[in-house]
Amino acid sequence: MAQDHDHPQDHDHPQDHDHPHDHHHHDHPHGSDLSPMDLRVRALESILVEKGYVDPAALDVLIETYETKVGPHNGARVVARAWVDPAFKARLLQDGSAAMRELDVGGRGGEHMVVVENTPDEHNLVVCTLCSCYPWPVLGLPPVWYKSPPYRSRAVIDPRGVLAEFGTALPAQTRIRVWDSTAELRYMVLPMRPPGTDHLDEAALAGLVTRDSMIGTGLPSSPDQGDRA
Amino acid sequence: MSRPPEPPVFAAPWEAQTFALVVSLHDAGLFTWGEWAQALGRHGDRMADYALWLETIEALIAERGLTSPTALEARRAAFARAAAATPHGQPILLENDPEA
């Protein structure tokens, strides 16, 4: 007998209907249609569930976690704490994973978080040249451009050119260091605290920390930009 | 001073489902993240997106002997028939396959 758990995507994901790969065939008004990718993933999942390798409920929990709980706001909390607490910052640069656990920001295990600090002399940029290794626990899942071959190759060859395309201009004397992630070693950038933020508390500071500033392709927002947002 | 909303993590449900399957199989001990990165990296010049993840996990589980390309293909056909037999808006269940 086939497993028959109800796929959440049948009802819960309105974007299903907006996705270009979903072709609804209106000449078959009485039936449903699945895109080729939907068919592939359903076939795979149903076989793996039958064989006992995966638990449908666990899949739903994983998806919900990454859709709603894990994201760049976690990394932003870490950065803001480092900006206001020099002792925390020292621990963060010493052992990223351990310091993040203090804020309940944690990995799935296995990978080790390394935090690299931007200074006026040195700017850091993170890439995965092999595939798409990324610090999930602090930044969530990677943006599409992070996984693209042009970014993966050009970040190493021409980091300044890549930064320019992101609209990030650095002083000519600032060195750029590129960090190539692996499955075991994930990097996050600690950006510099923007000027004019002495009056802000930790939560307001976290609001200035963009995802791209923690990858190194961008800089934190300035307080003025934050007010407009 | 509020954060802009974060963009959706997954562009489509099948991406989310693929991601969750890969993480679950890793957690079940089928491969290490190092092995996963190597498998993805075989296609060095391709976008490392969820389509590549799906292709890679299908290949990996076939290599591990969990299932075969033939079994996957048969199951896809069964789901396609089940979908066609399911009124729009209702959950698509394998048992709706008229040939089941």
Side-chain angles (χ1 to χ4, degrees):
Chain A
M1 141 97 196
Q3 103 294 347
D4 61 358
H5 75 273
D6 187 358
H7 277 259
Q9 65 261 46
D10 287 332
H11 303 295
D12 293 343
H13 292 263
Q15 70 266 39
D16 194 14
H17 299 286
D18 299 327
H19 198 263
H21 295 300
D22 286 300
H23 304 288
H24 291 275
H25 292 249
H26 296 292
D27 51 338
H28 297 295
H30 300 299
S32 301
D33 199 10
L34 291 172
S35 77
M37 299 309 271
D38 279 323
L39 283 174
R40 276 174 70 179
V41 78
R42 284 201 194 208
L44 181 63
E45 180 184 333
S46 78
I47 287 177
L48 290 170
V49 168
E50 268 174 19
K51 291 179 180 284
Y53 283 100
V54 300
D55 168 14
L59 296 178
D60 291 345
V61 170
L62 267 169
I63 292 169
E64 205 218 330
T65 300
Y66 279 89
E67 281 186 328
T68 62
K69 299 195 178 83
V70 183
H73 55 275
N74 293 322
R77 274 171 52 220
V78 172
V79 169
R81 174 64 59 87
W83 283 346
V84 301
D85 181 345
F88 176 79
K89 176 176 151 183
R91 293 195 296 277
L92 185 68
L93 295 173
Q94 175 80 28
D95 181 344
S97 301
M100 288 177 192
R101 273 196 297 276
E102 295 176 30
L103 300 185
D104 283 327
V105 175
R108 296 181 46 76
E111 73 273 12
H112 187 72
M113 286 295 317
V114 175
V115 179
V116 288
E117 181 187 16
N118 285 351
T119 66
D121 294 329
E122 190 163 84
H123 181 91
N124 297 284
L125 180 65
V126 177
V127 67
C128 171
T129 56
L130 179 65
C131 48
S132 54
C133 298
Y134 190 75
W136 294 355
V138 270
L139 299 187
L141 296 174
V144 170
W145 54 259
Y146 187 86
K147 309 181 245 188
S148 72
Y151 178 74
R152 284 154 49 199
S153 57
R154 290 197 47 232
V156 178
I157 301 165
D158 178 22
R160 205 170 284 270
V162 168
L163 289 183
E165 280 168 31
F166 279 89
T168 303
L170 298 173
Q173 69 272 20
T174 302
R175 287 189 309 274
I176 301 176
R177 265 183 98 166
V178 180
W179 300 84
D180 194 357
S181 310
T182 67
E184 292 81 22
L185 218 50
R186 313 283 173 116
Y187 298 98
M188 185 191 92
V189 175
L190 174 58
M192 285 191 288
R193 180 169 173 166
T197 56
D198 289 350
H199 61 293
L200 297 182
D201 66 13
E202 193 175 330
L205 287 170
L208 302 178
V209 183
T210 61
R211 177 195 66 200
D212 288 3
S213 73
M214 295 180 280
I215 305 175
T217 50
L219 300 174
S221 309
S222 76
D224 299 339
Q225 287 168 322
D227 280 330
R228 281 200 300 273
Chain B
M1 197 176 299
S2 59
R3 293 182 70 75
E6 288 165 13
V9 176
F10 304 109
W14 70 263
E15 292 192 354
Q17 223 59 25
T18 299
F19 169 77
L21 283 173
V22 170
V23 173
S24 290
L25 290 174
H26 165 269
D27 293 352
L30 254 77
F31 49 82
T32 66
W33 286 129
E35 288 168 334
W36 175 249
Q38 288 300 328
L40 276 179
R42 287 179 208 158
H43 316 268
D45 54 344
R46 272 188 50 188
M47 183 86 171
D49 57 9
Y50 289 110
L52 186 61
W53 276 46
L54 183 53
E55 192 178 315
T56 302
I57 194 62
E58 286 172 345
L60 251 179
I61 63 168
E63 282 169 26
R64 299 283 198 271
L66 264 65
T67 186
S68 66
T70 318
L72 282 173
E73 188 51 51
R75 186 58 59 91
R76 283 176 209 148
F79 265 114
R81 289 189 301 266
T86 301
H88 186 76
Q90 290 186 24
I92 296 165
L93 306 178
L94 207 46
E95 64 207 27
N96 295 348
D97 172 12
E99 296 180 24

